[in-house]
Amino acid sequence: MSATRDAGDITLQYFGGSYQLADKVGGDPLTTADLEADAFLKKALLDLRPDSGWLSEETIDDRTRLTSKAVWVVDPVDGTREFVEGLPEY
């Protein structure tokens, strides 16, 4: 799917470079790459299937997804801690 490849390209723009870093509740890292990839995927995937719901690690859950027949479940950067440490296996 081109949306996932394009989201990966977004994260690669930041990998090993400059980005903002914050801690989520619980101490997990959150980067600019997470947020931009999440926003891109949300738009691209909901444009593809506007009748579907959305659940993402980086988006506040409004629970409207519970009324949808299909739901996108997304973690835009799997391994953000590894991403921050500069490990290419993120």
Side-chain angles (χ1 to χ4, degrees):
M1 172 176 279
S2 66
T4 55
R5 275 184 254 123
D6 292 345
D9 288 343
I10 290 169
T11 68
L12 284 172
Q13 292 174 16
Y14 292 99
F15 184 68
S18 177
Y19 51 83
Q20 291 184 339
L21 175 63
D23 286 330
K24 295 190 285 188
V25 175
D28 290 327
L30 176 66
T31 70
T32 309
D34 291 283
L35 297 174
E36 285 194 26
D38 185 70
F40 172 81
L41 286 169
K42 185 174 185 180
K43 180 176 181 347
L45 297 176
L46 292 179
D47 283 353
L48 181 66
R49 290 281 313 267
D51 60 330
S52 61
W54 181 260
L55 177 63
S56 169
E57 187 173 334
E58 312 310 343
T59 307
I60 295 172
D61 184 13
D62 67 6
R63 301 178 62 93
T64 58
R65 66 182 165 75
L66 298 174
T67 62
S68 301
K69 289 186 178 185
V71 177
W72 293 104
V73 179
V74 176
D75 182 0
V77 177
D78 185 28
T80 300
R81 194 171 309 280
E82 289 80 3
F83 178 90
V84 169
E85 292 174 6
L87 300 174
E89 295 82 19
Y90 77 92

